[in-house]
Amino acid sequence: MLVKDLRVRNWRNFEDENLRVGGEVTVLFGRNGQGKSNLLEAIYYAFAFRSFRTNSSRDIVRWGCSGAEIEVGFELGGFDRRLLACVENGRRSTTLDGKSVRRDTDSLAGAAAIVFAPEDLRLAKAPAAERRRALDRAVFAVHRPYLREVMAFERALKGRNTLLRRGEATRELLDSYDEILAVTGSRIVLRRRQVVSALAPQFAQAFAEIHGGAAASIRYRSDGRVGSVEGEAEIGEALRRGLAESRGLDQRRGFTGFGPHTDDLEILLGQRLAREHGSQGQIRSLALALKFAELLHVEERNREAPVLLLDDVASELDDVRRQRLFEVIASRTCQTMMTVTERRLLPDLPGRIDWQVREGRVEAAGQEA
Ligand SMILES: Nc1ncnc2c1ncn2[C@@H]1O[C@H](COP(=O)(O)OP(=O)(O)OP(=O)(O)O)[C@@H](O)[C@H]1O
Ligand SMILES: [Mg+2]
């Protein structure tokens, strides 16, 4: 995939701006709080139909406005296409070449954006929920219907928890929620496991190249009752049984304590969990290695390069890791958009296009800092 241009209207702090996107590297630079990340968010929103920073459309629409629009021109599978994402009074709609499309439309298969932001650098030490979210994004990048599956699970979980909290959980209601959780949950577990095993070898290799020392590995951890079985039907059955077994406890404490929403992506150095034993530097290298693995995986699976969105990552890395990052970027076919405050941190990447972002305006800039 190749993004060619972006237009934003009433998106965050932008009134109406458009910019040409470089075939290889686009740099958005400017002081803090000017709108650089907002532009990466717009690209992500257009392709993923959601933000990576917020779940509320109130946040993304320019203050005082009723709606926002993002228009992206891009090439996919050799065809030029236009995606128009609108948010109006909290309702989102998207058209592709003028036709209304859903998030999981086949015509967007292979169109993926991968974000890498400073908080991702701490992923190995972050709460498990963030690692699950990172995994879910990696799955979504190669399988668009996945998000709908996750949302169905989350809706059921929320419903079940509300009943438990209010003490209104009848047996019939719990039975029906458990059934939805088992069916949708088994798909989630299966997809997450698949992506973890696809990422694992590349992750180990990337870490060895960036950092060396102890071997790094990843594995998906579920409750032992689920972790010990394979196949969608068997996982579903294990979830059904586990939910039934924990029902009494759930009713006493008022929430659902069993299921894929308590799973974790375990990141290990040697035999030890990086979350407990990793040094600062190791944690960052692990995060980079995971991102590199994800990039490779998505490109291989989609047979289309994703667009890589690097939000302020360069300034968070030391010289060695930053250089490694730029080497990987230069060696890949994937297009990169990055934000920085300090342009001097960036090397002269081939085909680089620079834009200065200032108070919600975007201006073309030469390469010299
Ligand atoms: N809905 C909105 N309407 C208007 N302005 C908004 C809205 N949401 C955020 N902003 C403004 O956008 C600015 C932040 O933009 P952004 O996060 O893109 O900054 P940045 O250039 O990436 O800065 P930094 O270098 O600190 O990361 C803030 O000034 C904020 O007030
Ligand atoms: Mg920013």
Side-chain angles (χ1 to χ4, degrees):
M1 174 173 81
L2 195 67
V3 177
K4 294 183 162 176
D5 57 85
L6 167 70
R7 180 168 186 185
V8 282
R9 278 184 227 115
N10 296 331
W11 174 264
R12 297 269 190 190
N13 63 333
F14 296 94
E15 189 180 342
D16 189 351
E17 294 293 311
N18 56 74
L19 58 132
R20 187 165 70 85
V21 176
E24 276 146 83
V25 178
T26 305
V27 173
L28 304 165
F29 72 97
R31 303 203 352 246
N32 295 125
Q34 305 299 304
K36 305 182 296 294
S37 302
N38 294 345
L39 289 174
L40 294 191
E41 185 187 30
I43 295 270
Y44 187 87
Y45 190 94
F47 288 108
F49 291 39
R50 57 156 37 176
S51 164
F52 58 87
R53 301 201 290 185
T54 176
N55 282 325
S56 162
S57 58
R58 245 198 314 258
D59 295 337
I60 55 186
V61 173
R62 189 163 190 250
W63 296 327
C65 298
S66 64
E69 271 180 24
I70 307 165
E71 203 177 327
V72 183
F74 66 106
E75 199 185 296
L76 183 67
F79 294 97
D80 274 323
R81 325 221 60 168
R82 286 207 88 70
L83 193 59
L84 178 65
C86 304
V87 184
E88 189 65 42
N89 296 318
R91 287 183 59 89
R92 192 195 57 222
S93 60
T94 303
T95 62
L96 181 64
D97 298 325
K99 283 201 212 85
S100 178
V101 287
R102 284 158 55 133
R103 192 195 322 261
D104 52 1
T105 174
D106 280 344
S107 42
L108 282 175
I114 292 183
V115 199
F116 197 22
E119 52 275 21
D120 297 323
L121 285 168
R122 290 178 281 278
L123 192 71
K125 264 198 193 303
E130 281 178 42
R131 279 187 295 279
R132 288 193 298 272
R133 204 171 310 134
L135 265 190
D136 287 344
R137 282 198 195 131
V139 176
F140 175 67
V142 295
H143 182 68
R144 299 187 72 90
Y146 181 65
L147 208 59
R148 193 136 48 93
E149 295 168 7
V150 172
M151 281 155 74
F153 176 86
E154 283 173 356
R155 249 195 324 274
L157 181 65
K158 213 169 141 192
R160 191 180 194 268
N161 283 339
T162 305
L163 287 181
L164 291 168
R165 205 173 43 246
R166 294 187 184 151
E168 294 169 358
T170 62
R171 193 167 147 197
E172 291 72 29
L173 281 170
L174 284 174
D175 282 347
S176 67
Y177 275 120
D178 289 6
E179 187 51 32
I180 305 174
L181 290 176
V183 170
T184 54
S186 61
R187 265 183 231 140
I188 291 172
V189 170
L190 208 60
R191 298 249 181 235
R192 287 182 182 163
R193 276 191 202 171
Q194 282 164 351
V195 81
V196 170
S197 50
L199 294 177
Q202 303 286 5
F203 168 73
Q205 194 188 332
F207 183 80
E209 281 167 24
I210 304 165
H211 206 99
S217 57
I218 43 174
R219 63 179 182 217
Y220 186 67
R221 192 194 53 76
S222 305
D223 181 280
R225 287 165 278 182
V226 176
S228 57
V229 297
E230 277 173 54
E232 194 176 319
E234 291 78 3
I235 298 171
E237 194 42 45
L239 286 171
R240 220 170 266 120
R241 253 199 322 269
L243 284 163
E245 281 165 15
S246 62
R247 193 176 274 192
L249 179 61
D250 286 354
Q251 279 176 311
R252 284 195 295 283
R253 60 189 174 182
F255 65 91
T256 308
F258 171 88
H261 60 291
T262 63
D263 291 354
D264 197 358
L265 166 69
E266 291 189 336
I267 304 179
L268 298 111
L269 283 166
Q271 301 302 315
R272 294 175 197 283
L273 283 175
R275 124 167 76 85
E276 287 161 8
H277 300 281
S279 73
Q280 293 265 22
Q282 284 170 330
I283 296 296
R284 280 156 187 262
S285 297
L286 289 166
L288 268 182
L290 197 58
K291 240 345 126 170
F292 293 163
E294 185 184 351
L295 264 184
L296 274 173
H297 171 64
V298 172
E299 195 169 341
E300 253 171 49
R301 278 290 303 271
N302 287 348
R303 298 213 194 88
E304 281 282 347
V307 55
L308 175 62
L309 308 173
L310 292 177
D311 194 9
D312 219 13
V313 174
S315 55
E316 293 271 330
L317 293 172
D318 57 57
D319 290 345
V320 177
R321 289 187 193 86
R322 189 184 316 125
Q323 202 182 335
R324 184 72 196 119
L325 173 65
F326 291 132
E327 277 166 23
V328 169
I329 290 171
S331 72
R332 308 237 37 88
T333 51
C334 88
Q335 190 181 20
T336 306
M337 295 183 76
M338 58 175 99
T339 68
V340 281
T341 44
E342 301 270 355
R343 275 203 294 172
R344 60 178 175 76
L345 294 177
L346 305 180
D348 269 344
L349 295 157
R352 177 177 145 187
I353 294 187
D354 287 19
W355 294 95
Q356 180 163 20
V357 184
R358 192 160 31 192
E359 292 179 13
R361 303 297 306 267
V362 183
E363 297 155 30
Q367 268 213 25
E368 295 79 34

